Amino acid sequence: MDDTTEPAPQERDPGAIRETSVQECWELLRQAVIGRLAVVHDGAPDIFPVNFAVDHGTVVIRTAGGTKHDAARSNPVAFEVDGYDVDTGEAWSVVARGKAVGVRDVDDSIAILNLPLVPWAKGPKPHLLRLAPVTLTGRRFAVSGGARRA
């Protein structure tokens, strides 16, 4: 095998971490059920579990007012999802980094409210945040002893 050929899956180093393409990152984001929004609050990092939707190359979050909303709005954030592929025995992780911007446009807000973005927790969630990633990275790695579909 020459150096320009991608090794077959069975020939890859089973402990190697494999970077995913941006396209695969978006595919994995669309599959995820819950994500984590990382913000800086009072000078310290904080992480919030959130449900979300992918919309035209962005991540959209619906939230109440408070710490998460205030710390995220118009500030740099990180958004992370991860999962496990039972067909391959691989875990995966995707991280989007950028600025979270409050959605104020009425037409944009209506379009977002038509996405499958239903709040899990009770109470009003009137704020919409949109993260257009500046960077989007992902990786996969085999899980030692990981379960696979039979």
Side-chain angles (χ1 to χ4, degrees), residues 6-58:
E6 174 74 17
Q10 67 273 17
E11 296 173 0
R12 289 186 186 132
D13 175 358
I17 295 174
R18 183 170 54 88
E19 300 295 320
T20 58
S21 68
V22 170
Q23 179 181 347
E24 186 177 3
C25 287
W26 283 115
E27 290 168 8
L28 293 169
L29 275 167
R30 284 184 193 93
Q31 292 174 24
V33 176
I34 192 163
R36 282 166 297 286
L37 181 67
V39 299
V40 175
H41 171 69
D42 287 340
D46 209 345
I47 300 173
F48 298 90
V50 295
N51 63 324
F52 67 97
V54 172
D55 182 45
H56 301 294
T58 67

Side-chain angles (χ1 to χ4, degrees), residues 11 18 20 25 63 70 74 99 102 131 135 150:
E11 296 173 0
R18 183 170 54 88
T20 58
C25 287
T63 186
D70 294 343
S74 299
K99 188 183 233 184
L131 168 60
T135 62

Side-chain angles (χ1 to χ4, degrees), residues 2-150:
D2 64 39
D3 291 338
T4 61
T5 304
E6 174 74 17
Q10 67 273 17
E11 296 173 0
R12 289 186 186 132
D13 175 358
I17 295 174
R18 183 170 54 88
E19 300 295 320
T20 58
S21 68
V22 170
Q23 179 181 347
E24 186 177 3
C25 287
W26 283 115
E27 290 168 8
L28 293 169
L29 275 167
R30 284 184 193 93
Q31 292 174 24
V33 176
I34 192 163
R36 282 166 297 286
L37 181 67
V39 299
V40 175
H41 171 69
D42 287 340
D46 209 345
I47 300 173
F48 298 90
V50 295
N51 63 324
F52 67 97
V54 172
D55 182 45
H56 301 294
T58 67
V59 174
V60 180
I61 298 164
R62 185 174 173 184
T63 186
T67 302
K68 173 179 33 182
H69 177 256
D70 294 343
R73 188 184 49 200
S74 299
N75 289 307
V77 299
F79 178 78
E80 192 256 352
V81 296
D82 49 38
Y84 183 76
D85 186 334
V86 295
D87 292 326
T88 64
E90 289 183 316
W92 55 265
S93 178
V94 173
V95 176
R97 292 177 184 86
K99 188 183 233 184
V101 177
V103 176
R104 300 223 183 264
D105 180 77
V106 173
D107 291 333
D108 197 16
S109 297
I110 291 169
I112 290 169
L113 293 175
N114 286 314
L115 294 171
L117 185 58
V118 179
W120 290 2
K122 290 183 180 182
K125 309 285 189 260
H127 301 286
L128 300 171
L129 295 172
R130 183 182 297 278
L131 168 60
V134 173
T135 62
L136 182 63
T137 58
R139 60 189 191 154
R140 287 183 171 270
F141 54 93
V143 174
S144 177
R148 289 189 179 196
R149 194 179 315 241

